[in-house]
C-alpha cells in the first residue's frame, strides 16, 4: 500500500505564480489535513477536511485554498505564491475525525518561492 | 488553550546510553498520546501511542513511552541509543472531545554520538 502520496516532491515558484499540491490516500480514511513545517515553528495546520465534502481552516490558512475532490484526494492551492510560503508541506490522513487514531503522513513537498 | 510542550530543542546522548525525550501536555479530559519520528527529508512516522491501560507503552525500533497522568507527561525513552536514532521527534496529543485534531509539540532533535 502506498499510504499517503504527495506530488510534486520539490517545486520552485516565482512570486505571484500559482500551483496546486496534490495529495491522495489509499487507506479509506475519512479525514485529511495539510500542514506546513518551518524551522523552529514545528507543524502548523493550514486546512483540514474532517470528511468528504467538508473543509475547514486551521491555524494558518491565509494565502491557501483547498479542495476535497473525493474521499481519496485533498489538494492545496497557492493562488499567488509569496516568499513567506517557502516551506515543506505535509499532507496527512486519519481514519476518523475523532477517536484514538493517529495520522499517516506523506513524504512532503519542498516548496521554494523566489 | 490546549497545548503540548517539548521543553528541550535538542537532546544529546552517547551511543549505548539510555535516552529520554520529554513531553508534557495541557489538554482537558483523557487525551490520546502519540510519538512520531522524522528522519531528514522524510515525512513523520508513527512510533507509538497511548490510548488507555498500562502506563508503559512499547513501540517501534525499541522505543517506549511512559504516561504519567498526575504530571500530564508522556516521555519517550529507549534503554540503549543507536546513532541511527538521530532524528527529530514530535509528541502529539489528540483530545478525546469532538474537536479531535492532533496537537503537536515543537519537536526535539535527538543527536546520538558514537
Amino acid at each position: 500500500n502506498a499510504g499517503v502520496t504527495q506530488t510534486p516532491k520539490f517545486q520552485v515558484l516565482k512570486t505571484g505564480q500559482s500551483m496546486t499540491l496534490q495529495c491522495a490516500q489509499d487507506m479509506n480514511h475519512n479525514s485529511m489535513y495539510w500542514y506546513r513545517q518551518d524551522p523552529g515553528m514545528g507543524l502548523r495546520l493550514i486546512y483540514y477536511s474532517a470528511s468528504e465534502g467538508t473543509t475547514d481552516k486551521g491555524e494558518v490558512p491565509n494565502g491557501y485554498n483547498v479542495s476535497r475532490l473525493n474521499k481519496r484526494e485533498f489538494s492545496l492551492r497557492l493562488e499567488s505564491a509569496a516568499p513567506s510560503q517557502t516551506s515543506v508541506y505535509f499532507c496527512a490522513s486519519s481514519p476518523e475525525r475523532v477517536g484514538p487514531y493517529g495520522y499517516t503522513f506523506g513524504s512532503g513537498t519542498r516548496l521554494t518561492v523566489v | 488553550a490546549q497545548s503540548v510542550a517539548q521543553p528541550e530543542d535538542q537532546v544529546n546522548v552517547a551511543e549505548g546510553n539510555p535516552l529520554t525525550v520529554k513531553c508534557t501536555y495541557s489538554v482537558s479530559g483523557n487525551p490520546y498520546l502519540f510519538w512520531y519520528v522524522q528522519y531528514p527529508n522524510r515525512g513523520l512516522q508513527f512510533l507509538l501511542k497511548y490510548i488507555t491501560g498500562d502506563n508503559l507503552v512499547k513501540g517501534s525500533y525499541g522505543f517506549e513511552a511512559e504516561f504519567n497522568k498526575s504530571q500530564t507527561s508522556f516521555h519517550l525513552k529507549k534503554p540503549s541509543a543507536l546513532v541511527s536514532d538521530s532524528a527529530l521527534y514530535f509528541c502529539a496529543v489528540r483530545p478525546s472531545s469532538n474537536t479531535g485534531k492532533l496537537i503537536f509539540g515543537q519537536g526535539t532533535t535527538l543527536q546520538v554520538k558514537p
Side-chain angles (χ1 to χ4, degrees), chain A residues 40-79:
Chain A
M41 305 288 288
L43 290 164
R44 293 184 290 171
L45 182 64
I46 305 171
Y47 270 93
Y48 67 101
S49 171
S51 60
E52 186 179 357
T54 70
T55 60
D56 285 287
K57 296 178 180 179
E59 299 173 62
V60 288
N62 291 344
Y64 305 96
N65 284 300
V66 290
S67 296
R68 184 75 183 264
L69 304 170
N70 48 55
K71 191 171 185 178
R72 290 186 65 247
E73 298 172 286
F74 187 39
S75 62
L76 178 71
R77 183 160 178 84
L78 287 71
E79 291 290 353

Side-chain angles (χ1 to χ4, degrees), chain A residues 33 35 37 40-43 45 48 90 94 96-107 110, chain B residues 32 34 36 38 41-44 46 49 51 88 90 94-95 97-102 104-106:
Chain A
Y33 310 84
Y35 286 88
Q37 184 179 28
M41 305 288 288
L43 290 164
L45 182 64
Y48 67 101
F90 289 101
S94 181
E96 299 292 347
R97 179 178 64 84
V98 297
Y101 311 106
Y103 294 178
T104 302
F105 285 84
S107 58
R110 189 171 296 272
Chain B
Y32 311 116
F34 301 83
Y36 287 84
Q38 185 181 29
N41 301 313
R42 304 289 294 275
L44 277 72
F46 170 80
K49 68 179 178 182
I51 304 301
L88 181 58
F90 287 97
R94 189 164 198 178
S97 68
N98 60 11
T99 57
K101 296 189 294 296
L102 272 181
F104 286 90
Q106 293 295 309

